[in-house]
Coordinates of all heavy atoms in Angstrom, one line a residue:
S1 N 110.5 96.4 69.1 CA 109.5 95.5 69.7 C 109.3 94.2 68.9 O 109.8 94.1 67.7 CB 108.1 96.2 69.8 OG 108.2 97.4 70.4
S2 N 108.7 93.2 69.5 CA 108.5 91.9 68.9 C 107.0 91.5 68.9 O 106.2 92.1 69.6 CB 109.3 90.9 69.6 OG 110.7 91.2 69.7
P3 N 106.7 90.5 68.1 CA 105.3 89.9 68.2 C 105.0 89.4 69.6 O 105.9 89.0 70.3 CB 105.3 88.8 67.2 CG 106.5 89.1 66.2 CD 107.5 89.8 67.1
L4 N 103.7 89.4 69.9 CA 103.3 88.8 71.2 C 103.7 87.3 71.1 O 103.6 86.6 70.1 CB 101.8 88.9 71.3 CG 101.2 88.5 72.7 CD1 101.5 89.5 73.8 CD2 99.7 88.2 72.6
G5 N 104.1 86.8 72.3 CA 104.5 85.4 72.3 C 104.5 84.8 73.7 O 104.1 85.5 74.7
V6 N 104.9 83.6 73.9 CA 104.9 82.9 75.2 C 105.8 83.7 76.2 O 105.5 83.9 77.3 CB 105.5 81.5 75.0 CG1 105.7 80.9 76.4 CG2 104.5 80.7 74.3
Y7 N 106.9 84.3 75.6 CA 107.8 85.1 76.5 C 107.2 86.3 77.1 O 107.7 86.8 78.1 CB 109.1 85.5 75.7 CG 108.8 85.8 74.2 CD1 108.1 86.9 73.8 CD2 109.2 84.9 73.2 CE1 107.8 87.1 72.5 CE2 109.0 85.1 71.9 CZ 108.3 86.2 71.5 OH 108.0 86.5 70.2
D8 N 106.0 86.7 76.6 CA 105.3 87.9 77.2 C 104.6 87.5 78.4 O 104.1 88.3 79.2 CB 104.4 88.5 76.2 CG 105.1 89.2 75.1 OD1 105.8 90.2 75.4 OD2 105.1 88.8 73.9
F9 N 104.4 86.2 78.7 CA 103.7 85.7 79.8 C 104.6 84.9 80.8 O 104.1 84.3 81.8 CB 102.5 84.8 79.4 CG 101.6 85.5 78.4 CD1 101.7 85.2 77.1 CD2 100.7 86.4 78.9 CE1 100.8 85.9 76.2 CE2 99.8 87.0 78.0 CZ 99.9 86.8 76.6
Q10 N 105.9 84.9 80.6 CA 106.9 84.4 81.5 C 107.7 85.4 82.0 O 108.0 86.5 81.4 CB 107.7 83.3 80.7 CG 107.0 82.1 80.3 CD 107.9 81.1 79.7 OE1 108.6 81.4 78.7 NE2 108.0 79.8 80.2
K11 N 108.2 85.2 83.2 CA 109.1 86.2 83.9 C 110.4 85.5 84.3 O 110.5 84.2 84.4 CB 108.5 86.7 85.2 CG 107.1 87.3 85.0 CD 106.5 87.6 86.4 CE 106.0 86.4 87.1 NZ 107.0 85.7 87.9
R12 N 111.5 86.2 84.4 CA 112.8 85.7 84.7 C 113.3 86.3 86.0 O 113.2 87.5 86.2 CB 113.8 86.1 83.6 CG 113.5 85.6 82.2 CD 114.5 86.0 81.2 NE 114.7 87.4 81.1 CZ 113.9 88.3 80.5 NH1 112.8 87.8 79.8 NH2 114.1 89.6 80.4
S13 N 113.6 85.4 86.9 CA 114.2 85.8 88.2 C 115.7 85.4 88.2 O 116.0 84.2 87.9 CB 113.5 85.1 89.4 OG 112.1 85.5 89.4
S14 N 116.6 86.3 88.6 CA 118.0 85.9 88.7 C 118.2 85.1 89.9 O 117.6 85.3 91.0 CB 118.8 87.2 88.8 OG 118.6 88.0 87.7
L15 N 119.1 84.1 89.8 CA 119.5 83.3 90.9 C 121.0 83.6 91.3 O 121.8 83.5 90.4 CB 119.4 81.8 90.6 CG 118.0 81.3 90.1 CD1 118.0 79.8 89.8 CD2 117.0 81.6 91.3
I16 N 121.2 83.9 92.6 CA 122.6 84.2 93.0 C 122.8 83.4 94.3 O 122.2 83.7 95.4 CB 122.7 85.7 93.2 CG1 122.4 86.5 92.0 CG2 124.2 86.0 93.7 CD1 122.3 88.0 92.2
Q17 N 123.7 82.4 94.3 CA 124.1 81.7 95.5 C 125.6 81.8 95.6 O 126.3 81.0 95.0 CB 123.6 80.3 95.5 CG 123.9 79.5 96.7 CD 123.4 78.1 96.7 OE1 122.8 77.6 95.7 NE2 123.6 77.3 97.7
V18 N 126.1 82.7 96.4 CA 127.5 82.9 96.6 C 128.1 82.0 97.6 O 127.6 81.9 98.8 CB 127.8 84.4 96.9 CG1 129.3 84.7 97.0 CG2 127.2 85.3 95.8
S19 N 129.2 81.4 97.3 CA 129.8 80.5 98.3 C 130.7 81.3 99.2 O 130.9 82.5 99.0 CB 130.8 79.5 97.5 OG 131.8 80.2 96.9
A20 N 131.1 80.7 100.3 CA 132.0 81.4 101.3 C 133.3 81.9 100.6 O 133.7 83.0 100.8 CB 132.3 80.5 102.5
Q21 N 133.8 81.1 99.7 CA 135.0 81.5 99.0 C 134.8 82.6 98.0 O 135.5 83.5 97.9 CB 135.6 80.2 98.3 CG 136.9 80.5 97.6 CD 137.5 79.3 96.9 OE1 136.9 78.2 97.0 NE2 138.5 79.5 96.1
G22 N 133.6 82.5 97.3 CA 133.3 83.5 96.4 C 133.0 84.9 97.0 O 133.3 85.9 96.4
A23 N 132.5 84.9 98.3 CA 132.3 86.1 99.0 C 133.6 86.9 99.2 O 133.5 88.1 99.3 CB 131.5 85.9 100.3
Q24 N 134.7 86.2 99.3 CA 136.0 86.9 99.6 C 136.3 87.8 98.4 O 136.8 88.9 98.5 CB 137.1 85.9 99.9 CG 136.7 84.8 100.9 CD 136.1 85.4 102.2 OE1 136.7 86.2 102.9 NE2 134.9 85.0 102.5
H25 N 136.2 87.2 97.2 CA 136.6 87.9 96.0 C 135.5 88.9 95.6 O 135.9 90.1 95.4 CB 136.8 86.9 94.9 CG 137.1 87.5 93.5 ND1 138.1 88.3 93.3 CD2 136.3 87.4 92.4 CE1 138.1 88.7 92.0 NE2 137.0 88.2 91.5

């Protein structure tokens, strides 16, 4: 564990934008 900090009040959302070409692979 770590000390309390700003990161304890922020959230991370993953971003995924697949192109038409990327979808093939």
Side-chain angles (χ1 to χ4, degrees):
S1 304
S2 305
L4 187 74
V6 171
Y7 32 72
D8 290 293
F9 303 101
Q10 291 182 307
K11 305 173 285 87
R12 301 178 304 278
S13 299
S14 301
L15 301 179
I16 304 169
Q17 183 177 0
V18 180
S19 66
Q21 182 181 352
Q24 312 310 302
H25 173 62

